[in-house]
Coordinates of all heavy atoms in Angstrom, one line a residue:
C294 N 110.7 83.3 106.9 CA 111.8 83.8 106.0 C 112.6 84.9 106.6 O 112.0 85.9 107.0 CB 111.3 84.0 104.6 SG 111.3 85.6 103.9
R295 N 113.9 84.7 106.7 CA 114.7 85.8 107.4 C 114.7 87.1 106.7 O 114.7 88.1 107.3 CB 116.1 85.3 107.5 CG 116.4 84.6 108.9 CD 117.9 84.3 109.0 NE 118.1 83.1 108.4 CZ 119.3 82.6 108.1 NH1 120.4 83.4 108.4 NH2 119.5 81.5 107.5
K296 N 114.8 87.1 105.4 CA 114.8 88.4 104.6 C 113.5 89.2 104.9 O 113.6 90.4 104.9 CB 115.0 88.1 103.1 CG 116.4 87.9 102.8 CD 116.5 87.8 101.2 CE 117.9 87.5 100.8 NZ 118.0 87.5 99.3
C297 N 112.4 88.5 105.0 CA 111.1 89.2 105.1 C 111.0 89.9 106.5 O 110.3 90.9 106.6 CB 110.0 88.2 105.0 SG 109.8 87.5 103.3
C298 N 111.7 89.4 107.5 CA 111.6 89.9 108.8 C 112.8 90.8 109.2 O 112.8 91.5 110.2 CB 111.5 88.8 109.8 SG 110.1 87.8 109.6
A299 N 113.9 90.8 108.4 CA 115.0 91.5 108.7 C 114.8 93.1 108.7 O 115.5 93.8 109.5 CB 116.2 91.2 107.7
W300 N 113.8 93.6 108.0 CA 113.6 95.0 108.0 C 113.1 95.5 109.4 O 113.6 96.5 109.8 CB 112.6 95.3 107.0 CG 111.2 94.9 107.3 CD1 110.6 93.7 106.9 CD2 110.2 95.5 108.0 NE1 109.4 93.5 107.4 CE2 109.0 94.7 108.1 CE3 110.1 96.8 108.6 CZ2 107.9 95.1 108.8 CZ3 109.0 97.2 109.3 CH2 107.8 96.3 109.3
G301 N 112.4 94.7 110.1 CA 111.9 95.0 111.5 C 113.1 95.1 112.4 O 113.2 96.0 113.2
T302 N 114.0 94.2 112.3 CA 115.2 94.1 113.1 C 116.1 95.3 112.8 O 116.6 96.0 113.7 CB 116.0 92.8 112.9 OG1 115.1 91.8 113.2 CG2 117.2 92.8 113.8
A303 N 116.2 95.7 111.5 CA 117.1 96.8 111.1 C 116.5 98.1 111.6 O 117.2 98.9 112.1 CB 117.1 96.9 109.6
L304 N 115.2 98.3 111.6 CA 114.6 99.5 112.1 C 114.7 99.6 113.6 O 115.0 100.6 114.2 CB 113.1 99.6 111.7 CG 112.8 99.8 110.2 CD1 111.3 100.0 110.0 CD2 113.5 101.0 109.7
H305 N 114.6 98.4 114.3 CA 114.8 98.4 115.7 C 116.2 98.8 116.1 O 116.4 99.6 117.0 CB 114.5 97.0 116.3 CG 114.7 96.8 117.7 ND1 113.9 97.4 118.7 CD2 115.7 96.2 118.4 CE1 114.4 97.1 119.9 NE2 115.5 96.4 119.7
I306 N 117.2 98.3 115.4 CA 118.6 98.7 115.6 C 118.8 100.1 115.4 O 119.5 100.8 116.2 CB 119.5 97.8 114.8 CG1 119.5 96.3 115.3 CG2 120.9 98.3 114.8 CD1 120.2 95.3 114.4
L307 N 118.2 100.6 114.3 CA 118.4 102.1 114.0 C 117.8 102.9 115.1 O 118.5 103.9 115.6 CB 117.6 102.4 112.7 CG 117.9 103.7 112.0 CD1 119.3 103.7 111.4 CD2 116.9 104.0 110.9
V308 N 116.6 102.6 115.6 CA 116.0 103.3 116.7 C 116.9 103.2 118.0 O 117.1 104.2 118.7 CB 114.6 102.9 117.0 CG1 114.0 103.5 118.2 CG2 113.7 103.3 115.8
A309 N 117.3 102.0 118.3 CA 118.2 101.8 119.5 C 119.5 102.6 119.3 O 119.9 103.1 120.4 CB 118.4 100.4 119.7
T310 N 120.0 102.6 118.2 CA 121.3 103.4 118.0 C 121.1 104.8 118.2 O 121.9 105.5 118.9 CB 121.9 103.1 116.6 OG1 122.0 101.7 116.4 CG2 123.2 103.8 116.4
A311 N 120.0 105.4 117.7 CA 119.7 106.8 117.8 C 119.4 107.1 119.3 O 119.8 108.1 119.8 CB 118.5 107.2 116.9
S312 N 118.7 106.1 120.0 CA 118.4 106.4 121.4 C 119.6 106.4 122.3 O 119.6 107.0 123.3 CB 117.4 105.2 121.9 OG 116.2 105.3 121.2
A313 N 120.7 105.7 121.8 CA 121.9 105.7 122.6 C 122.7 106.9 122.2 O 124.0 107.0 122.6 CB 122.7 104.4 122.2
H314 N 122.2 107.9 121.6 CA 122.8 109.2 121.2 C 124.0 109.0 120.3 O 125.0 109.7 120.3 CB 123.2 110.0 122.4 CG 122.0 110.2 123.3 ND1 121.0 111.1 123.0 CD2 121.7 109.7 124.5 CE1 120.1 111.1 123.9 NE2 120.4 110.3 124.9
V315 N 123.9 107.9 119.4 CA 124.9 107.7 118.4 C 124.4 108.4 117.1 O 123.3 108.2 116.8 CB 125.1 106.2 118.2 CG1 126.1 106.0 116.9 CG2 125.7 105.5 119.4
Q316 N 125.2 109.2 116.5 CA 124.8 109.9 115.3 C 124.6 108.9 114.1 O 125.6 108.2 113.8 CB 125.8 111.0 115.0 CG 125.3 111.9 113.8 CD 126.1 113.0 113.5 OE1 127.1 113.2 114.3 NE2 125.7 113.8 112.6
L317 N 123.5 108.9 113.6 CA 123.2 108.0 112.4 C 123.8 108.7 111.2 O 123.8 109.9 111.1 CB 121.7 107.8 112.3 CG 121.0 107.1 113.5 CD1 119.5 107.1 113.2 CD2 121.6 105.8 113.8
N318 N 124.2 107.9 110.2 CA 124.8 108.4 109.1 C 124.2 107.7 107.8 O 123.3 106.9 107.9 CB 126.4 108.3 109.1 CG 126.9 106.9 109.2 OD1 126.2 105.9 108.8 ND2 128.0 106.7 109.7
T319 N 124.7 108.1 106.7 CA 124.3 107.5 105.4 C 124.4 106.0 105.4 O 123.4 105.3 104.9 CB 125.0 108.1 104.2 OG1 124.9 109.5 104.3 CG2 124.5 107.6 102.9
I320 N 125.4 105.5 105.9 CA 125.6 104.0 105.9 C 124.6 103.3 106.8 O 124.0 102.3 106.3 CB 127.1 103.6 106.3 CG1 128.1 104.2 105.3 CG2 127.2 102.1 106.5 CD1 129.5 104.1 105.7
T321 N 124.3 103.8 108.0 CA 123.4 103.2 108.8 C 122.0 103.3 108.2 O 121.2 102.3 108.3 CB 123.4 103.7 110.2 OG1 123.2 105.1 110.2 CG2 124.7 103.4 110.9
Y322 N 121.6 104.4 107.7 CA 120.3 104.5 107.1 C 120.1 103.6 105.9 O 119.2 103.0 105.6 CB 120.0 106.0 106.7 CG 119.4 106.8 107.8 CD1 120.2 107.7 108.5 CD2 118.1 106.6 108.2 CE1 119.6 108.5 109.5 CE2 117.5 107.4 109.2 CZ 118.3 108.3 109.9 OH 117.7 109.1 110.8
N323 N 121.3 103.6 105.0 CA 121.2 102.8 103.8 C 121.0 101.3 104.1 O 120.2 100.6 103.4 CB 122.5 102.9 103.0 CG 122.5 104.2 102.2 OD1 121.5 104.9 102.1 ND2 123.7 104.5 101.6
A324 N 121.6 100.9 105.2 CA 121.4 99.4 105.6 C 119.9 99.2 106.0 O 119.3 98.2 105.6 CB 122.3 99.1 106.8
A325 N 119.3 100.2 106.7 CA 117.8 100.0 107.0 C 117.0 100.1 105.8 O 116.0 99.3 105.7 CB 117.5 101.1 108.0
V326 N 117.3 101.0 104.9 CA 116.5 101.2 103.7 C 116.6 99.9 102.8 O 115.6 99.4 102.3 CB 116.9 102.4 102.8 CG1 116.2 102.5 101.5 CG2 116.6 103.7 103.6
S327 N 117.8 99.4 102.7 CA 118.0 98.1 102.0 C 117.2 97.0 102.6 O 116.7 96.1 101.9 CB 119.5 97.8 101.9 OG 120.1 98.7 101.1
A328 N 117.2 96.9 104.0 CA 116.5 95.8 104.6 C 115.0 96.0 104.4 O 114.3 95.0 104.1 CB 116.7 95.9 106.1
C329 N 114.5 97.2 104.3 CA 113.1 97.4 104.0 C 112.8 97.0 102.6 O 111.7 96.5 102.3 CB 112.7 98.9 104.2 SG 112.7 99.4 105.9
E330 N 113.7 97.3 101.7 CA 113.5 96.9 100.3 C 113.4 95.4 100.2 O 112.5 94.9 99.5 CB 114.7 97.5 99.5 CG 114.7 97.1 98.0 CD 115.6 96.0 97.7 OE1 116.7 96.0 98.3 OE2 115.4 95.2 96.8
K331 N 114.3 94.7 100.8 CA 114.3 93.2 100.7 C 113.1 92.6 101.4 O 112.6 91.6 101.0 CB 115.6 92.7 101.4 CG 116.8 92.9 100.5 CD 118.1 92.5 101.2 CE 119.3 92.7 100.4 NZ 119.5 94.0 100.0
G332 N 112.5 93.4 102.4 CA 111.3 92.9 103.0 C 110.0 93.4 102.4 O 108.9 93.1 103.0
G333 N 110.1 94.1 101.3 CA 108.9 94.6 100.6 C 108.2 95.7 101.4 O 107.0 96.0 101.1
Q334 N 108.9 96.4 102.2 CA 108.3 97.5 103.0 C 108.6 98.9 102.4 O 109.4 99.7 102.9 CB 108.9 97.5 104.4 CG 108.6 96.1 105.1 CD 107.1 95.9 105.3 OE1 106.4 96.8 105.7 NE2 106.7 94.7 105.0
W335 N 108.0 99.1 101.2 CA 108.3 100.3 100.5 C 108.0 101.6 101.3 O 108.7 102.6 101.2 CB 107.6 100.3 99.1 CG 106.1 100.3 99.3 CD1 105.2 99.3 99.3 CD2 105.2 101.5 99.4 NE1 103.9 99.7 99.5 CE2 103.9 101.0 99.5 CE3 105.4 102.9 99.4 CZ2 102.8 101.9 99.7 CZ3 104.4 103.7 99.5 CH2 103.1 103.3 99.7
D336 N 106.9 101.5 102.0 CA 106.4 102.7 102.8 C 107.5 103.0 103.9 O 107.7 104.2 104.1 CB 105.1 102.5 103.4 CG 104.9 101.2 104.2 OD1 105.7 100.3 104.0 OD2 103.9 101.2 104.9
Q337 N 108.0 102.0 104.5 CA 109.0 102.2 105.6 C 110.3 102.8 104.9 O 110.9 103.6 105.5 CB 109.4 100.9 106.3 CG 108.2 100.3 107.1 CD 107.9 101.1 108.3 OE1 108.8 101.9 108.8 NE2 106.7 101.0 108.8
A338 N 110.6 102.3 103.7 CA 111.9 102.8 103.0 C 111.7 104.3 102.7 O 112.6 105.0 102.9 CB 112.1 101.9 101.7
L339 N 110.5 104.7 102.2 CA 110.3 106.1 101.9 C 110.3 106.9 103.1 O 110.8 108.1 103.1 CB 109.0 106.2 101.1 CG 109.0 105.6 99.7 CD1 107.7 106.0 99.0 CD2 110.2 106.1 98.9
G340 N 109.8 106.4 104.2 CA 109.8 107.1 105.5 C 111.2 107.4 106.0 O 111.5 108.4 106.5
L341 N 112.1 106.4 105.8 CA 113.5 106.6 106.1 C 114.2 107.7 105.3 O 115.0 108.5 105.8 CB 114.2 105.3 106.0 CG 113.9 104.2 107.1 CD1 114.6 102.9 106.7 CD2 114.4 104.8 108.5
L342 N 113.8 107.8 104.0 CA 114.3 108.9 103.2 C 113.9 110.2 103.7 O 114.7 111.2 103.8 CB 113.8 108.8 101.7 CG 114.7 108.0 100.8 CD1 115.0 106.6 101.2 CD2 114.3 108.2 99.3
V343 N 112.6 110.3 104.1 CA 112.2 111.6 104.7 C 112.9 111.9 106.0 O 113.3 113.0 106.2 CB 110.6 111.5 104.9 CG1 110.2 112.7 105.8 CG2 109.8 111.4 103.6
E344 N 113.1 110.9 106.8 CA 113.8 111.0 108.0 C 115.2 111.5 107.8 O 115.8 112.3 108.5 CB 113.8 109.7 108.9 CG 114.3 109.8 110.2 CD 114.2 108.5 111.0 OE1 113.1 107.8 110.9 OE2 115.2 108.1 111.6
M345 N 115.8 110.8 106.8 CA 117.2 111.3 106.5 C 117.3 112.7 106.1 O 118.2 113.5 106.6 CB 117.8 110.4 105.3 CG 118.0 109.0 105.7 SD 118.6 108.0 104.3 CE 120.3 108.6 104.0
A346 N 116.4 113.1 105.3 CA 116.4 114.5 104.8 C 116.2 115.5 106.0 O 116.9 116.5 106.1 CB 115.3 114.7 103.7
C347 N 115.2 115.2 106.8 CA 115.0 115.9 108.0 C 116.2 116.0 109.0 O 116.4 117.1 109.6 CB 113.8 115.5 108.8 SG 112.2 115.7 108.0
A348 N 117.0 115.0 109.1 CA 118.1 114.9 109.9 C 119.4 115.4 109.2 O 120.4 115.4 109.8 CB 118.4 113.4 110.4
H349 N 119.2 115.9 108.0 CA 120.3 116.4 107.2 C 121.4 115.4 106.9 O 122.6 115.7 107.0 CB 120.9 117.7 107.8 CG 119.9 118.8 108.0 ND1 119.3 119.5 106.9 CD2 119.3 119.2 109.1 CE1 118.5 120.4 107.4 NE2 118.4 120.2 108.7
V350 N 121.0 114.2 106.7 CA 121.9 113.0 106.4 C 121.9 112.9 104.9 O 120.8 112.9 104.2 CB 121.4 111.7 107.0 CG1 122.3 110.6 106.7 CG2 121.4 111.9 108.6
E351 N 123.1 112.8 104.3 CA 123.2 112.7 102.9 C 122.6 111.5 102.3 O 122.8 110.4 102.8 CB 124.7 112.8 102.5 CG 124.9 112.6 101.0 CD 126.4 112.4 100.6 OE1 127.2 112.4 101.5 OE2 126.7 112.4 99.4
L352 N 121.7 111.7 101.3 CA 121.1 110.6 100.5 C 122.0 110.4 99.3 O 122.4 111.3 98.6 CB 119.7 110.9 100.1 CG 118.6 111.0 101.2 CD1 118.6 112.3 101.9 CD2 117.3 110.6 100.7
N353 N 122.4 109.2 99.0 CA 123.2 108.9 97.9 C 122.6 107.9 96.9 O 121.5 107.5 97.1 CB 124.6 108.4 98.4 CG 124.6 107.1 99.1 OD1 123.7 106.3 99.1 ND2 125.6 106.9 99.9
T354 N 123.4 107.4 95.9 CA 122.8 106.6 94.9 C 122.4 105.3 95.5 O 121.3 104.7 95.1 CB 124.0 106.3 93.9 OG1 124.5 107.5 93.3 CG2 123.5 105.4 92.8
I355 N 123.1 104.8 96.5 CA 122.6 103.5 97.1 C 121.2 103.7 97.8 O 120.4 102.9 97.7 CB 123.7 103.1 98.2 CG1 125.0 102.7 97.4 CG2 123.1 101.9 99.0 CD1 126.1 102.5 98.3
T356 N 121.1 104.9 98.5 CA 119.8 105.2 99.2 C 118.7 105.2 98.2 O 117.7 104.5 98.4 CB 119.9 106.6 99.8 OG1 121.1 106.7 100.5 CG2 118.7 106.8 100.7
Y357 N 118.9 106.0 97.1 CA 117.8 106.1 96.1 C 117.5 104.8 95.4 O 116.4 104.4 95.1 CB 118.1 107.2 95.1 CG 118.1 108.6 95.7 CD1 119.2 109.3 95.7 CD2 116.9 109.1 96.2 CE1 119.1 110.7 96.2 CE2 116.8 110.4 96.7 CZ 118.0 111.1 96.8 OH 117.9 112.4 97.3
N358 N 118.6 104.0 95.0 CA 118.3 102.7 94.4 C 117.5 101.8 95.2 O 116.7 101.1 94.7 CB 119.7 102.1 94.0 CG 120.3 102.7 92.8 OD1 119.6 103.4 92.0 ND2 121.6 102.5 92.5
A359 N 117.9 101.7 96.5 CA 117.2 100.8 97.4 C 115.7 101.2 97.6 O 114.8 100.4 97.6 CB 117.8 100.7 98.7
A360 N 115.5 102.5 97.6 CA 114.1 103.0 97.8 C 113.3 102.8 96.5 O 112.1 102.4 96.6 CB 114.1 104.5 98.1
V361 N 113.9 103.1 95.4 CA 113.1 102.8 94.1 C 112.9 101.3 94.0 O 111.8 101.0 93.6 CB 114.0 103.3 92.9 CG1 113.5 102.8 91.6 CG2 114.0 104.9 92.9
S362 N 113.8 100.5 94.3 CA 113.6 99.0 94.2 C 112.5 98.6 95.2 O 111.7 97.7 94.9 CB 114.9 98.3 94.6 OG 114.7 96.9 94.4
A363 N 112.5 99.2 96.3 CA 111.4 98.8 97.3 C 110.0 99.2 96.8 O 109.1 98.4 96.9 CB 111.6 99.6 98.7
C364 N 109.9 100.4 96.2 CA 108.6 100.7 95.5 C 108.3 99.8 94.4 O 107.1 99.4 94.3 CB 108.8 102.2 95.0 SG 108.9 103.5 96.3
E365 N 109.2 99.4 93.6 CA 109.0 98.5 92.5 C 108.5 97.2 93.0 O 107.5 96.7 92.4 CB 110.3 98.4 91.6 CG 110.1 97.5 90.4 CD 110.5 96.1 90.7 OE1 111.4 95.8 91.5 OE2 109.8 95.2 90.0
K366 N 109.2 96.7 94.0 CA 108.8 95.4 94.5 C 107.4 95.4 95.2 O 106.7 94.4 95.2 CB 109.8 94.9 95.5 CG 111.1 94.4 94.8 CD 112.1 93.9 95.8 CE 113.4 93.5 95.1 NZ 114.4 93.0 96.0
G367 N 107.0 96.5 95.7 CA 105.8 96.7 96.3 C 104.7 97.1 95.4 O 103.6 97.4 95.8
G368 N 105.0 97.2 94.1 CA 104.0 97.6 93.1 C 103.6 99.0 93.2 O 102.5 99.4 92.8
Q369 N 104.5 99.9 93.7 CA 104.2 101.2 94.0 C 105.1 102.1 93.1 O 105.7 103.1 93.6 CB 104.4 101.6 95.5 CG 103.5 100.8 96.4 CD 102.0 101.2 96.2 OE1 101.7 102.3 96.0 NE2 101.2 100.2 96.3
W370 N 105.2 101.8 91.8 CA 106.1 102.5 91.0 C 105.9 104.0 91.0 O 106.8 104.8 90.8 CB 106.1 102.0 89.6 CG 104.8 102.1 88.9 CD1 103.7 101.2 88.9 CD2 104.3 103.1 88.1 NE1 102.7 101.6 88.2 CE2 103.0 102.9 87.7 CE3 104.8 104.4 87.7 CZ2 102.2 103.7 86.9 CZ3 104.1 105.3 87.0 CH2 102.8 104.9 86.6
E371 N 104.6 104.4 91.2 CA 104.3 105.9 91.1 C 105.0 106.6 92.3 O 105.4 107.7 92.1 CB 102.8 106.1 91.4 CG 101.9 105.4 90.4 CD 101.4 104.0 90.8 OE1 101.9 103.5 91.9 OE2 100.6 103.4 90.1
Q372 N 105.2 105.9 93.4 CA 105.9 106.5 94.5 C 107.4 106.7 94.3 O 108.0 107.6 94.8 CB 105.8 105.6 95.8 CG 104.4 105.4 96.2 CD 103.7 106.6 96.7 OE1 104.3 107.6 97.3 NE2 102.4 106.8 96.4
A373 N 107.9 106.0 93.3 CA 109.4 106.0 93.0 C 109.7 107.2 92.1 O 110.8 107.6 92.0 CB 109.8 104.8 92.3
I374 N 108.7 107.8 91.5 CA 108.9 108.9 90.6 C 109.2 110.2 91.3 O 108.7 110.6 92.2 CB 107.8 109.1 89.6 CG1 107.6 107.9 88.8 CG2 108.0 110.3 88.8 CD1 106.5 107.8 87.8

């Protein structure tokens, strides 16, 4: 299933983009967090939130909604609090 594997591709693109010295922003991170959410990768989604905060990239409503949804889908509602 494409949705299940898309999160890996999204993370690969995110790393490749950063490696090319392109500045990542809220939109690029949100795409990766959303892909992780769709793929049930709640831990990866939360890891991206931490990475965003460390990189001083703005987290917005879309970011938080995707991360909370990833936790919910992964049965990790405690992580969403």
Side-chain angles (χ1 to χ4, degrees):
C294 112
R295 264 189 277 165
K296 279 187 180 181
C297 296
C298 300
W300 68 271
T302 302
L304 292 182
H305 176 74
I306 291 169
L307 195 71
V308 169
T310 302
S312 296
H314 304 290
V315 174
Q316 186 172 1
L317 302 176
N318 60 26
T319 303
I320 295 169
T321 55
Y322 274 106
N323 283 352
V326 173
S327 292
C329 290
E330 177 256 327
K331 288 175 180 54
Q334 301 297 314
W335 64 270
D336 53 340
Q337 295 288 338
L339 294 183
L341 288 171
L342 264 65
V343 171
E344 189 175 314
M345 289 175 75
C347 289
H349 304 288
V350 175
E351 179 185 0
L352 289 87
N353 62 19
T354 304
I355 294 167
T356 314
Y357 290 117
N358 282 342
V361 168
S362 182
C364 291
E365 183 267 326
K366 287 180 180 179
Q369 300 294 321
W370 62 269
E371 302 93 355
Q372 300 295 326
I374 296 177

